[in-house]
Amino acid sequence: MRITGPTAGRRRTCAAVVTVVLSCSTALTAPPPAATGGGPAPAVPAPELAWKPCVQDARYDCSTATVPLDYAEPGGRTVELAVVRRKATDPGRRIGTLFFNPGGPGGPGSVQMPQMYEFFPGEVRERFDIVSWDPRGIGNSTAVNCFASPEQAEAWIAGHPAGFPVGERERKAWIDAYRELGRACQRRDPELLRHVSTADTARDLDQLRRAVGESRLTYIGISYGTFLGATYANLHPDTIRAMVLDSNVDPSAWTNNGSEQARLSTFLRLGSDRSAARTLDRFLSLCGSATVARCAFSAGSPQATRDKFHELTRRLKERPVESWTYARTVADTVNSLYVVHPGWTNLAARLQELWQGRVPAAPATPAMTPPVPVPYLGEEQGAAVICSDSPNPRDPAAFHTLEEAAAVRSGDAARSWTWATEPCSTWPAAPADRYAGPWNKPTAHPVLVVGTTYDPSTPYADAQAMSEQLADARLLTHHGYGHTALLNPSTCVDDHVSRYLVDGVLPPPGTSCEQDTPPFSAPQPRGGIATGGGGTAP
């Protein structure tokens, strides 16, 4: 899951599914009863897809789908969706189309599906056309963009703290900056802001399913994409062929059980702070058990390495290493736990550089040219979605109190996750169509839920909650580390996912799998991920 907000490195374009950027949620006015209950939208003709080879990589096909802005008024304004496809590599055995959402909210599928393509199980790539898209409001689709120029966006970024605010002055700067961001968005396109909820995107997904000629949906959603999947499954339960939900959001917690009066922020309700703290503790313990050749930050034992990290953060509070403040370092640490290889090794190297008083070198990223131009991916895009879906306290001052209470239970990571959704406390738009349950409508076929035990973003408990709340779901446990089993591979998980997607065979109840390559051991190359937005938010 992705967190919109100032990232550790002030990245402004496409950050990868692994990014922890600060996200937003807000308590909004109640949507109309029909939208809340997921009532059927008026019939809309399926969009036409005119596929052409993508301009930057002809292995992929690109198209644009036109859909209604408001499904309650299908004859009104329309929005465009950027769509990308990679055809099945064994067309003679092709089964159909698999749709993929890379998370976020704010992940541009037109960029991130190609980045992640090699991580899909081989048989899945052989048997399915894999299709993804930039959801409405995001990236190359009709996008939320609240600035008149890139320079204006950069100036806004520079005007508030990186990571999260520390101290009264930074808290004021942070709150003022995000209040102004919301106002700028409202001035530029208030109508679009009201129509970028997950329910809107689920209806778009059903239109895309119809556009490719599928009678039922085959789908993989990771991180926030699991909430999109759960929403789709309950708005369109009769059209589910197969659905894999990997690194899950508890849908009841995300929507605050349908209530608009929120006491806790979104990610504290989800337990992201606790899960990040547990994963960080394992990172430090495993690093301390490894040699410095495997983990540069190792202090020779788990406890000594944990002590070293706490001493480093204490030092940075007093004396930042140039732009590497305490808050930036904590946010970067949580972000870097998402993908074990090479993320954990690179994180250890950066922490060691900071320990020695040096500015860390930027890690090398694999050369990867996406099939489409990388779009503008401002923080306002993910914020617009989360603020439509997930209630938060409406008083910005409440977040400092929440932060301090969460830090008692979860340490440094809690601060990043708490402030992730503060921007929604002043977000100006209310959604026209929000789905907040129920989550147990019987589906045509069962759903496969995958949960990782040490996930720094979406806790394993959320995967358990998802499997319990859906009407018919099977939980597959991934004993491993990082955010999503897709990007932290397990051959065992891949085999079960393949059998389910190809043949409809679920793993036996209680099945668990191990990660292929544990942290701080020699990694197995599986393709490259460039930086981008996606995954789940802090």
Side-chain angles (χ1 to χ4, degrees):
M1 177 167 299
R2 170 174 177 259
I3 300 181
T4 62
T7 66
R10 297 291 196 185
R11 289 185 293 262
R12 197 58 195 168
T13 54
C14 183
V17 71
V18 300
T19 309
V20 178
V21 263
L22 297 165
S23 255
C24 316
S25 274
T26 185
L28 303 172
T29 56
T36 304
V44 180
E48 295 184 5
L49 296 175
W51 295 108
K52 295 180 180 179
C54 296
V55 293
Q56 295 181 180
D57 188 340
R59 295 176 301 171
Y60 293 86
D61 299 319
C62 287
S63 187
T64 301
T66 301
V67 296
L69 174 71
D70 183 353
Y71 281 93
E73 297 182 9
R77 175 181 168 183
T78 60
V79 294
E80 292 190 339
L81 307 177
V83 190
V84 65
R85 175 181 69 181
R86 182 74 177 257
K87 289 184 178 179
T89 60
D90 188 352
R93 300 171 64 231
R94 178 184 176 275
I95 293 172
T97 298
L98 167 68
F99 286 91
F100 173 68
N101 179 273
S110 67
V111 175
Q112 291 185 330
M113 184 273 278
Q115 288 179 338
M116 301 177 200
Y117 177 76
E118 297 298 330
F119 286 84
F120 288 93
E123 189 175 10
V124 172
R125 286 180 273 138
E126 291 172 359
R127 308 293 298 276
F128 291 93
D129 296 346
I130 299 179
V131 170
S132 193
W133 76 107
D134 295 1
R136 57 171 62 210
I138 310 300
N140 287 307
S141 293
T142 301
V144 175
N145 183 346
C146 304
F147 299 101
S149 67
E151 292 76 19
Q152 192 180 85
E154 292 294 340
W156 178 82
I157 292 173
H160 59 288
F164 53 87
V166 178
E168 185 175 353
R169 179 180 298 180
E170 287 193 358
R171 287 193 292 272
K172 183 179 186 305
W174 175 286
I175 291 167
D176 288 349
Y178 280 102
R179 180 183 283 112
E180 178 51 37
L181 177 67
R183 289 171 177 167
C185 296
Q186 185 75 357
R187 287 191 296 267
R188 286 180 68 87
D189 197 341
E191 190 180 17
L192 179 61
L193 292 189
R194 297 185 65 244
H195 293 280
V196 292
S197 73
T198 301
D200 290 314
T201 292
R203 300 189 198 284
D204 292 343
L205 175 56
D206 199 53
Q207 288 294 92
L208 293 175
R209 173 192 63 81
R210 296 173 60 211
V212 300
E214 296 287 357
S215 60
R216 287 185 170 168
L217 179 76
T218 304
Y219 174 82
I220 295 179
I222 62 174
S223 193
Y224 158 80
T226 66
F227 180 71
L228 171 59
T231 301
Y232 181 96
N234 284 276
L235 289 176
H236 304 283
D238 294 337
T239 64
I240 302 299
R241 176 191 171 273
M243 178 174 283
V244 177
L245 306 180
D246 177 4
S247 282
N248 288 256
V249 170
D250 177 344
S252 292
W254 184 266
T255 56
N256 198 35
N257 291 305
S259 171
E260 297 296 332
Q261 302 302 315
R263 184 179 63 85
L264 293 176
S265 61
T266 297
F267 295 109
L268 297 186
R269 290 198 304 268
L270 292 177
S272 298
D273 60 315
R274 293 177 189 261
S275 192
R278 290 179 68 242
T279 307
L280 174 58
D281 184 73
R282 291 299 296 160
F283 164 81
L284 295 169
S285 296
L286 293 170
C287 177
S289 299
T291 65
V292 292
R294 290 287 187 199
C295 180
F297 194 66
S298 176
S301 74
Q303 186 58 51
T305 306
R306 285 192 289 267
D307 292 342
K308 183 178 177 180
F309 180 78
H310 296 316
E311 173 61 18
L312 174 61
T313 56
R314 187 196 66 78
R315 276 194 213 167
L316 291 171
K317 288 177 184 178
E318 298 175 358
R319 297 186 309 279
V321 178
E322 296 188 13
S323 65
W324 284 84
T325 62
Y326 158 72
R328 178 182 175 183
T329 302
V330 169
D332 176 70
T333 297
V334 177
N335 273 327
S336 301
L337 297 172
Y338 277 41
V339 176
V340 171
H341 300 293
W344 286 30
T345 301
N346 292 341
L347 170 61
R350 286 196 299 280
L351 294 175
Q352 183 62 18
E353 290 285 295
L354 290 169
W355 177 259
Q356 294 172 342
R358 297 194 295 263
V359 175
T365 56
M368 194 278 181
T369 301
V372 297
V374 175
Y376 170 77
L377 293 168
E379 296 173 25
E380 63 268 36
Q381 295 180 3
V385 178
I386 298 182
C387 293
S388 294
D389 288 341
S390 185
N392 273 257
R394 293 296 287 176
D395 178 7
F399 284 82
H400 178 49
T401 302
L402 290 175
E403 169 196 12
E404 293 302 321
V408 171
R409 75 183 190 184
S410 305
D412 295 313
R415 302 185 188 279
S416 182
W417 280 113
T418 302
W419 284 94
T421 53
E422 184 283 326
C424 287
S425 67
T426 54
W427 192 255
D433 185 7
R434 171 180 179 247
Y435 186 78
W439 303 104
N440 61 350
K441 294 184 181 178
T443 50
H445 292 97
V447 174
L448 178 59
V449 173
V450 183
T452 298
T453 50
Y454 286 97
D455 184 322
S457 176
T458 52
Y460 177 70
D462 282 24
Q464 293 174 306
M466 178 70 86
S467 65
E468 291 167 0
Q469 291 176 46
L470 296 178
D472 187 4
R474 179 69 49 80
L475 175 62
L476 174 61
T477 298
H478 176 223
H479 286 292
Y481 305 88
H483 186 50
T484 80
L486 179 68
L487 299 180
N488 297 281
S490 162
T491 301
C492 170
V493 170
D494 284 355
D495 288 346
H496 284 298
V497 167
S498 296
R499 290 281 59 74
Y500 168 70
L501 291 175
V502 171
D503 300 322
V505 177
L506 287 166
T511 298
S512 63
C513 292
E514 300 293 328
Q515 203 160 44
D516 284 351
T517 310
F520 306 120
S521 59
Q524 301 295 322
R526 284 283 298 255
I529 301 209
T531 57
T536 298

